[in-house]
Amino acid sequence: MSRIVHVNGAYLPEANAMISVFDRGFLMADAVYEVTSVLGGRLVDFAGHCRRLARSLDALEMTNPHPDDGWLAIHREMVARNALEDGMVYLQVTRGNPGDRDFAYPAPETAPTVVLFTQSKPGLADAPAARTGWQVITIPDLRWGRRDIKTTQLLYPSMGKMMARAAGADDAWFTEDGQVTEGTSNNAYIVRGNRIITRALGQDILHGITRAAVLRLAAEAQMEIEERPFTITEAQGADEAFVTSASAFVMPVVSIDGTRIGTGRPGPVAARLREIYLDEARRSAV
Ligand code: PMP
């Protein structure tokens, strides 16, 4: 598969795209990113991703290279040029190429580097895993302290996925001070009765776009929401558990560190939230 990628305004075959070795994204992970799902050729929750991108850039004193309608035009062009039906559009903005390596930020007029590529995932919304659920392990959260900024420093989450794989699990949940922060690339929830419990927003977790939509839809469906931390023990004793992310949507979790959650099968709350989230995602996609 040869894709058309976007680099600083140009649409190029992936083999022809070039980034400088002095780019701060490459040298320092001085870069932020977004991943927007595409269902039926349309972008899911696009406004939310634009808002979070602006927030991440602002937190790092980087200028936003495009207004929201400019980003939308570029995303649509990427979907069209790659004939993308179901999958993701990955977007990254780095602090650019100052021409040398230096810890200090370069002069503000240094142009940012903008890269986009697509990933085709036919049947993205019908993942068989949603019918069986994920098994997760827990590992200490050894990431930096500004997890609310969506940077490309993803080495520890990658290590976490490998630890999960080595343990025969699907993913890992991070824990800090005895409580769950989030999954390696998703937000974590437990369910007790009609109540959904998830950690409150702060600098210690990413402000998931899917989290915001799912909590809004859950409130509209008369479910109760409690935003507070929870321990592994509480999670293991919960009726249900699940995670959310832009590409996994709502994914049931059926075991934590080998302990079965509820019946050990995806529960009704996670299944219902997945259904209403996907309906709304399709309805509001642009
Ligand atoms: N937490 C982390 C650490 C993530 O990497 C992601 C995926 N970007 C999420 C949560 C979920 O965020 P979203 O719903 O915006 O994909």
Side-chain angles (χ1 to χ4, degrees):
M1 174 185 60
S2 177
R3 289 171 282 197
I4 300 297
V5 303
H6 176 111
V7 183
N8 298 328
Y11 293 89
L12 306 159
E14 61 182 63
N16 299 355
M18 284 202 297
I19 301 288
S20 167
V21 295
F22 296 112
D23 195 284
R24 286 182 62 95
F26 177 66
L27 294 178
M28 312 253 177
D30 188 355
V32 302
Y33 75 109
E34 284 295 329
V35 179
T36 305
S37 270
V38 172
L39 291 177
R42 294 194 302 148
L43 299 151
V44 172
D45 223 331
F46 190 73
H49 288 285
C50 279
R51 269 196 299 277
R52 185 172 60 192
L53 173 66
R55 184 181 180 280
S56 295
L57 289 168
D58 193 52
L60 295 176
E61 297 167 46
M62 283 164 67
T63 341
N64 196 336
H66 297 290
D68 289 1
D69 58 353
W71 283 123
L72 180 58
I74 295 172
H75 277 70
R76 283 184 162 156
E77 190 69 27
M78 289 296 287
V79 170
R81 288 193 188 229
N82 290 284
L84 186 63
E85 266 301 301
D86 289 348
M88 286 92 83
V89 180
Y90 175 93
L91 146 71
Q92 181 170 329
V93 181
T94 87
R95 205 182 299 275
N97 162 27
D100 200 358
R101 180 175 182 272
D102 188 359
F103 279 82
Y105 290 178
E109 52 275 13
T110 307
T113 301
V114 175
V115 167
L116 288 92
F117 58 80
T118 55
Q119 293 181 291
S120 174
K121 306 272 177 195
L124 180 66
D126 306 313
R131 290 188 282 279
T132 50
W134 279 359
Q135 307 192 20
V136 304
I137 59 165
T138 62
I139 58 174
D141 198 335
L142 301 181
R143 297 174 299 165
W144 79 323
R146 288 303 307 274
R147 305 158 194 158
D148 57 318
I149 310 174
K150 197 167 167 62
T151 75
T152 58
Q153 307 175 80
L154 295 173
L155 186 52
Y156 190 65
S158 291
M159 290 168 74
K161 297 254 189 211
M162 296 311 288
M163 287 183 244
R165 186 184 289 185
D170 301 291
D171 202 5
W173 279 10
F174 295 131
T175 63
E176 191 166 62
D177 301 328
Q179 282 159 330
V180 173
T181 51
E182 59 185 332
T184 58
S185 60
N186 42 62
N187 292 113
Y189 310 71
I190 57 172
V191 179
R192 293 173 69 173
N194 188 39
R195 181 178 299 241
I196 296 165
I197 300 158
T198 193
R199 198 179 178 95
L201 297 181
Q203 296 189 344
D204 41 12
I205 61 168
L206 186 75
H207 301 191
I209 302 305
T210 320
R211 178 190 183 281
V214 164
L215 291 186
R216 180 172 50 79
L217 294 168
E220 284 171 17
Q222 316 302 326
M223 296 177 196
E224 286 169 45
I225 292 154
E226 210 176 314
E227 294 184 73
R228 61 158 175 88
F230 55 86
T231 63
I232 302 168
T233 312
E234 185 183 7
Q236 286 172 326
D239 298 327
E240 296 183 36
F242 64 93
V243 295
T244 65
S245 77
S247 51
F249 310 116
V250 176
M251 182 61 70
V253 167
V254 294
S255 85
I256 301 173
D257 287 337
T259 299
R260 208 172 66 181
I261 309 304
T263 62
R265 306 271 310 152
V269 172
R272 171 134 188 264
L273 284 173
R274 182 178 175 89
E275 194 180 302
I276 55 182
Y277 174 75
L278 280 169
D279 282 351
E280 173 64 13
R282 286 208 167 84
R283 197 194 57 73
S284 60
V286 293

